[in-house]
């Protein structure tokens, strides 16, 4: 146990260094430039988007994707958002008429699509999918999938995976390789153990879960840095280094519990 705790401490230092190094790279700056193409949605709409697609990162409308030479894949289902519609009220007084115009606001449902639902011109990528390099990973995967207490299911989905708090079930993409599936399972188990929900701040939620995934994978002798570094950098772009350190301090026990699931 002490050996595992010591390795977690060491790997947290390495993770922080790798994320900070990535944030100073041209690769990351190109990613930020690309990110500026996308509007910021209201808090309510961000929660609504997350309920429909928990791994959504860059979302916009059908025609907006076309403007940057990407198209929505055939058969993809749009993510609903609330779109405000403004209607002028009748002017109710001379004074009000001189100073301003009031509006009634109604909402309709519009649809956007996540980047994972599109194809076309390449986009800056800082989360690189993990390659499967060991037969042991397949054995490890099958063992955890067969544990009925963990409620993990493989399905054809456009995401790597997601945790549904309402049913306490974890879903992973059946099309990914064994190594990527294990990394994703670690991330989703972290969400479960940390009691994350749509009410949890997304920067905290995703940064902590992926830090847990990276550290748990390290204890399982899997290097997930190619994916985890970029994922954490993406969700922590507005966080200070001190915030990241604080988030990382809170995950040790969760990491050990995740690793226990594989034993």
């Amino acid at each position: 146990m002490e050996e595992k705790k010591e390795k977690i401490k060491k790997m947290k230092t390495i993770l922080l260094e790798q994320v900070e190094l990535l944030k100073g790279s041209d690769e990351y700056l190109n990613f930020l430039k690309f990110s500026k193409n996308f509007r910021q949605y209201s808090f309510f709409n961000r929660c609504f988007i997350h309920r429909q697609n928990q791994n959504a990162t860059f979302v916009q409308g059908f025609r907006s994707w076309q403007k940057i030479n990407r198209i929505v894949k055939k058969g993809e289902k749009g993510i609903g958002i609330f779109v405000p519609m403004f209607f002028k009220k009748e002017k109710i007084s001379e004074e009000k008429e001189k100073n301003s115009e009031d509006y009634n606001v109604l909402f309709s449902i519009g649809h956007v699509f996540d980047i994972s639902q599109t194809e076309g011109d390449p986009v800056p990528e800082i989360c690189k999918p993990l390659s499967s390099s060991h037969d042991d990973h397949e054995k490890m995967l099958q063992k955890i999938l067969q544990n009925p207490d963990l409620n993990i299911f493989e399905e054809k989905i456009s995401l790597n995976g997601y945790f549904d708090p309402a049913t306490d079930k974890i879903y992973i993409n059946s099309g990914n390789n064994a190594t990527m599936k294990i990394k994703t399972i670690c991330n989703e188990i972290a969400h479960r153990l940390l009691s994350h929900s749509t009410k949890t701040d997304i920067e905290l939620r995703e940064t902590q879960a992926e830090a847990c995934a990276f550290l748990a994978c390290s204890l399982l002798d899997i290097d997930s840095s190619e994916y985890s570094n970029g994922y954490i950098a993406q969700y922590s772009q507005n966080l200070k280094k001190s915030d990241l350190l604080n988030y990382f301090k809170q995950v040790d026990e969760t990491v050990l519990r995740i690793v226990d699931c594989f034993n």
Side-chain angles (χ1 to χ4, degrees):
M1 181 65 73
E2 290 304 316
E3 184 179 345
K4 287 182 179 179
K5 288 182 179 179
E6 190 60 34
K7 184 170 184 178
I8 289 174
K9 181 179 178 181
K10 176 183 176 182
M11 294 310 296
K12 280 196 290 189
T13 301
I14 292 174
L15 177 59
L16 183 63
E17 290 174 351
Q18 289 178 341
V19 170
E20 290 299 309
L21 187 63
L22 176 59
K23 285 184 175 181
S25 68
D26 290 340
E27 182 182 18
Y28 186 69
L29 291 177
N30 288 335
F31 170 78
L32 291 182
K33 287 178 184 177
F34 171 76
S35 304
K36 290 181 180 178
N37 288 309
F38 300 85
R39 59 173 294 182
Q40 293 293 318
Y41 290 92
S42 68
F43 174 76
F44 187 83
N45 264 333
R46 292 201 302 271
C47 292
F48 195 40
I49 289 168
H50 179 76
R51 285 177 66 90
Q52 298 165 80
N53 182 336
Q54 296 190 12
N55 278 23
T57 52
F58 298 109
V59 299
Q60 58 183 1
F62 189 91
R63 290 186 177 82
S64 295
W65 279 116
Q66 289 180 325
K67 289 178 182 177
I68 57 173
N69 297 317
R70 291 187 69 83
I71 60 173
V72 176
K73 298 174 188 175
K74 186 177 180 179
E76 289 289 347
K77 183 179 179 182
I79 301 169
I81 60 169
F82 289 95
V83 180
M85 301 174 66
F86 298 92
F87 299 91
K88 286 185 180 179
K89 289 181 179 178
E90 293 182 5
K91 299 178 179 64
I92 57 175
S93 70
E94 288 296 323
E95 181 180 354
K96 202 166 185 65
E97 184 176 354
K98 291 178 183 178
N99 293 329
S100 66
E101 290 181 327
D102 282 350
Y103 293 85
N104 282 318
V105 182
L106 300 176
F107 289 88
S108 64
I109 295 293
H111 290 90
V112 292
F113 298 86
D114 182 57
I115 190 171
S116 63
Q117 298 174 284
T118 68
E119 58 189 0
D121 283 359
V123 298
E125 185 176 32
I126 57 173
C127 297
K128 299 176 176 64
L130 306 179
S131 58
S132 220
S133 56
H134 296 285
D135 292 338
D136 289 345
H137 295 177
E138 184 62 44
K139 295 176 183 176
M140 191 185 302
L141 173 67
Q142 292 308 314
K143 183 176 180 181
I144 198 166
L145 288 176
Q146 290 166 15
N147 186 335
D149 295 331
L150 295 176
N151 286 331
I152 302 172
F153 302 90
E154 292 188 277
E155 289 193 355
K156 290 183 179 180
I157 53 178
S158 60
L159 317 173
N160 288 323
Y162 66 94
F163 167 59
D164 183 357
T167 61
D168 197 40
K169 292 180 180 178
I170 289 172
Y171 297 90
I172 60 171
N173 190 333
S174 59
N176 284 342
N177 63 53
T179 309
M180 194 65 194
K181 287 177 182 176
I182 290 171
K183 200 286 313 169
T184 301
I185 288 171
C186 290
N187 177 291
E188 304 308 334
I189 292 178
H191 282 305
R192 173 189 280 160
L193 294 177
L194 292 167
S195 301
H196 287 163
S197 71
T198 54
K199 294 181 180 180
T200 310
D201 180 82
I202 191 168
E203 292 176 339
L204 165 62
R205 183 175 69 230
E206 297 304 331
T207 298
Q208 279 193 328
E210 193 61 27
C212 286
F214 171 83
L215 296 167
C217 282
S218 296
L219 293 181
L220 296 169
D221 294 324
I222 295 174
D223 180 6
S224 74
S225 57
E226 283 289 293
Y227 186 91
S228 297
N229 291 348
Y231 193 94
I232 292 172
Q234 175 181 331
Y235 279 101
S236 67
Q237 59 184 278
N238 298 318
L239 298 177
K240 298 177 183 177
K241 187 175 179 179
S242 57
D243 293 326
L244 271 178
L245 279 169
N246 185 46
Y247 289 173
F248 289 175
K249 285 178 183 177
Q250 302 172 31
V251 303
D252 292 31
E253 186 62 33
T254 301
V255 172
L256 292 172
R257 291 176 65 187
I258 293 170
V259 174
D260 284 344
C261 293
F262 287 85
N263 296 327

